[in-house]
Amino acid sequence: MQDDGNPAKRRNSDAIKSGVAHAPARAMLRATGLDDAAIAKPMIAVVHTWSNVSPCNLTLRELAQHAGEGIRASGGTPIEFNTIAITDGIAMGSSGMRASLASREVIADSIELAVSGHCLDGVVLLCGCDKTIPAAAMALARLNVPGVILYGGTIMPGKCKGKAVTIQDVFEAVGAHSAGKIDDAELAEVEKAACPGAGACGGQFTANTMAMVLTFLGVSPLGLNDIPATHADKNKAAFQCGQMVMQRLQEGGPLPRDIITARALRNAAHAVSATAGSTNAAMHLLAIAHEAGVAFDLEEFQAASSTPVIADLKPGGRYTAAEMFEQGGTALVARELKAAGLIEDIPTVTGRSFFQEVDAAAYPAQQDVVRPLSNPIKPQGGYSILYGDLAPEGCILKLAGHGRNHFSGPARVFDSEEACYAAVDARRINAGDVVVIRFEGPVGGPGMREMLAVTAALVGQGLGDDVALITDGRFSGATRGFMVGHISPEAALGGPLAKLREGDIVSIDAAGRTIDVAADLSQREPARMAPRITTGALAKYARSVGSASKGAVTAPGPLDGKTIPSITTTTSRDDLILV
């Protein structure tokens, strides 16, 4: 195990295993079962977010074994790590949802620390749900070692009364139940049918949106993320990823920061628009760009939003992600965007360019899940970036699932998700209302909870197209209706939303890209509240997290080096005005 002094042959792991001084480290590696030959090989991290608390990450520990086999077959030694996952579908509507976005930072931090702390040579990242996916890309960008990301895969759709159902249908059934449209037995029927096995939520919700994003970024091989979690080919995909990371190591790249460029990020933004994907993708792409040191802002998403919706996917469309896989998968979207000149060629983790991968993909003779750009489902993408009285730093309007572009009505102001849900459940929200949920941003929540319980209940009551909802929190990818989220600066840091009052007339104009109020907010004092959480991880998160308009990141990135993005406000984080 002596260092031969040849810099060309040196690897990161030589720092812990080569030379006399590292005999103690080698002794500990031997205790894990590694012999001289295994220690001498490149050491590749296999990091996964396995958990048995939900279906989303349930298969990742098995996939890790197959990824490890691929690494061994290509001359490397796999080193396995596990990190955490917070399951949004379970936490939704509870205080536990505050942990979700914060977990993205913890996951990225833990991957970075485990891989760099052991001086490993490359990494295969296995992820399975909403925050684990962007966290994997963020960590990969930070580490900038040879690496590949594989999504554990979508769940198969459930079947209820002859139609495909997902977790979205369960949330909306709760609203229908509160409206008296279905009884306990009918709710239980949907509940028991919606999630038939392992895999992440089945529509073009956040998990499947972000899995597609990884493909368009080039850090996941085209087609492999599409394979459902329980499909027979998923283990083979993991094996291929193990081989692939060794190829990138042996060839010296391309490395993650060679791949995650402004062009790749724009490609991903166009794909989100074309599939009416989750608005969470905007914040996650901003965070990935931050970690990769790429200048990228909300206006990039506005530019991409002109891309028509061509994928007929839930929550607004007919098909689940598994059904799209059966008809050709992500390559269908890529082919159409390439043909229309809406995406650019980029390097990928496979060693081939993205366009080479698209051209080499197999396509069915017939399919009806993805349309050509000449015959779109909608002429404009699934979101728009707005600014105005209530959002000087910007916010995101979700357009998928309805045709209207303007909404104006009286504000119904709630200082927490729970207070709003209670009003919805009690049928105190009326058609024409603008429902406002504030103090739920990254700092104020803390953790920027998603509002799926509220939005799904409104849809279930038949109000999905008749009310608007605005918040400094977030929406699930399963949300549909006229919804505005990520309002920045948030209420907790003195944002204008804190000055809004019950009955104020709020106007939202998608075409004009504005969100304004018929009131002089400069003459009002903001609502003031005490912080919800003052100790522990979430309190630490609230003190360090930046604006949602800049990705809600907590760590310095290559472009700033010293400070994280901050909100322009006169309010100190030591003197918050929280609920």
Side-chain angles (χ1 to χ4, degrees), residues 491-495 526 528 567-577:
L493 290 180
R528 296 180 180 273
I567 296 171
T568 302
T569 176
T570 58
T571 304
S572 165
R573 294 189 187 216
D574 293 324
D575 184 30
L576 301 181
I577 52 174

Side-chain angles (χ1 to χ4, degrees), residues 102-358:
S103 77
R104 187 191 70 178
E105 312 305 301
V106 173
I107 296 163
D109 290 351
S110 65
I111 294 170
E112 176 198 357
L113 292 172
V115 175
S116 62
H118 295 91
C119 301
L120 301 178
D121 300 306
V123 58
V124 175
L125 296 167
L126 305 170
C127 48
C129 61
D130 295 8
K131 307 310 175 296
T132 69
I133 302 170
M138 291 163 67
L140 193 62
R142 285 186 198 174
L143 290 163
N144 203 34
V145 298
V148 59
I149 307 176
L150 178 65
Y151 170 50
T154 182
I155 197 171
M156 297 300 291
K159 295 291 183 182
C160 184
K161 296 181 178 177
K163 73 170 187 174
V165 293
T166 70
I167 193 68
Q168 169 195 352
D169 296 281
V170 186
F171 278 100
E172 293 181 3
V174 172
H177 182 271
S178 70
K181 295 181 179 179
I182 63 173
D183 59 22
D184 291 351
E186 291 172 300
L187 176 59
E189 186 179 5
V190 178
E191 173 191 331
K192 292 175 182 178
C195 299
C201 298
Q204 191 68 343
F205 312 150
T206 301
N208 286 315
T209 297
M210 291 309 300
M212 179 176 286
V213 159
L214 295 186
T215 300
F216 275 83
L217 285 178
V219 294
S220 291
L222 179 66
L224 298 194
N225 284 354
D226 297 340
I227 303 170
T230 56
H231 194 280
D233 289 343
K234 201 70 187 192
N235 290 340
K236 180 181 177 182
F239 184 90
Q240 290 174 323
C241 288
Q243 292 179 308
M244 201 171 295
V245 73
M246 289 299 298
Q247 292 170 355
R248 301 287 69 76
L249 179 67
Q250 290 156 6
E251 296 175 11
L255 296 176
R257 291 191 194 174
D258 300 324
I259 297 172
I260 303 172
T261 63
R263 288 188 303 163
L265 290 158
R266 292 187 190 108
N267 286 356
H270 281 286
V272 173
S273 183
T275 60
S278 170
T279 53
N280 285 316
M283 183 169 59
H284 294 323
L285 276 169
L286 290 171
I288 294 166
H290 171 79
E291 301 292 357
V294 179
F296 204 73
D297 60 28
L298 277 174
E299 283 304 293
E300 297 278 9
F301 295 96
Q302 182 60 36
S305 72
S306 61
T307 301
V309 177
I310 57 173
D312 195 0
L313 295 169
K314 290 176 177 290
R318 294 179 295 164
Y319 292 108
T320 63
E323 291 166 319
M324 180 173 169
F325 163 74
E326 292 167 355
Q327 296 195 48
T330 295
L332 295 169
V333 178
R335 179 180 64 176
E336 297 304 324
L337 295 180
K338 174 178 178 287
L342 291 175
I343 57 175
E344 300 179 73
D345 204 8
I346 58 169
T348 77
V349 71
T350 68
R352 300 200 295 179
S353 79
F354 190 63
F355 284 2
Q356 287 175 319
E357 295 291 341
V358 173

Side-chain angles (χ1 to χ4, degrees), residues 344-473:
E344 300 179 73
D345 204 8
I346 58 169
T348 77
V349 71
T350 68
R352 300 200 295 179
S353 79
F354 190 63
F355 284 2
Q356 287 175 319
E357 295 291 341
V358 173
D359 291 342
Y363 299 96
Q366 291 185 324
Q367 57 84 28
D368 68 347
V369 68
V370 176
R371 295 186 188 179
L373 267 292
S374 59
N375 180 32
I377 295 166
K378 287 185 59 183
Q380 183 179 353
Y383 56 84
S384 184
I385 307 301
L386 312 182
Y387 301 90
D389 297 340
L390 294 179
E393 289 185 3
C395 59
I396 302 176
L397 166 64
K398 184 159 188 173
L399 295 166
H402 58 83
R404 68 192 307 168
N405 287 307
H406 183 273
F407 199 105
S408 183
R412 301 293 306 280
V413 182
F414 302 94
D415 288 343
S416 70
E417 180 187 7
E418 288 85 354
C420 182
Y421 184 81
V424 173
D425 193 49
R427 309 299 301 279
R428 297 202 302 269
I429 302 301
N430 302 309
D433 287 344
V434 177
V435 179
V436 179
I437 307 178
R438 62 188 182 184
F439 298 107
E440 290 285 7
V443 175
M448 203 178 180
R449 291 190 290 179
E450 292 178 350
M451 306 295 153
L452 179 58
V454 171
T455 60
L458 289 169
V459 170
Q461 291 178 8
L463 292 172
D465 290 332
D466 297 319
V467 301
L469 190 150
I470 69 174
T471 180
D472 50 11

Side-chain angles (χ1 to χ4, degrees), residues 15-157:
I16 61 165
K17 69 186 184 183
S18 295
V20 173
H22 295 292
R26 292 195 298 272
M28 297 192 77
L29 291 170
R30 294 183 197 284
T32 70
L34 300 184
D35 58 16
D36 283 349
I39 294 172
K41 294 175 182 178
M43 303 181 80
I44 308 297
V46 179
V47 186
H48 56 83
T49 55
W50 176 86
S51 167
N52 68 357
V53 75
S54 75
C56 311
N57 299 278
L58 200 57
T59 61
L60 299 186
R61 191 162 59 177
E62 180 181 358
L63 290 180
Q65 303 309 305
H66 292 275
E69 290 173 7
I71 291 166
R72 289 191 189 94
S74 299
T77 297
I79 305 294
E80 184 180 348
F81 297 100
N82 178 232
T83 185
I84 66 166
I86 305 296
T87 305
D88 290 11
I90 292 175
M92 198 75 68
S94 75
S95 61
M97 191 62 195
R98 295 190 179 104
S100 175
L101 185 58
S103 77
R104 187 191 70 178
E105 312 305 301
V106 173
I107 296 163
D109 290 351
S110 65
I111 294 170
E112 176 198 357
L113 292 172
V115 175
S116 62
H118 295 91
C119 301
L120 301 178
D121 300 306
V123 58
V124 175
L125 296 167
L126 305 170
C127 48
C129 61
D130 295 8
K131 307 310 175 296
T132 69
I133 302 170
M138 291 163 67
L140 193 62
R142 285 186 198 174
L143 290 163
N144 203 34
V145 298
V148 59
I149 307 176
L150 178 65
Y151 170 50
T154 182
I155 197 171
M156 297 300 291

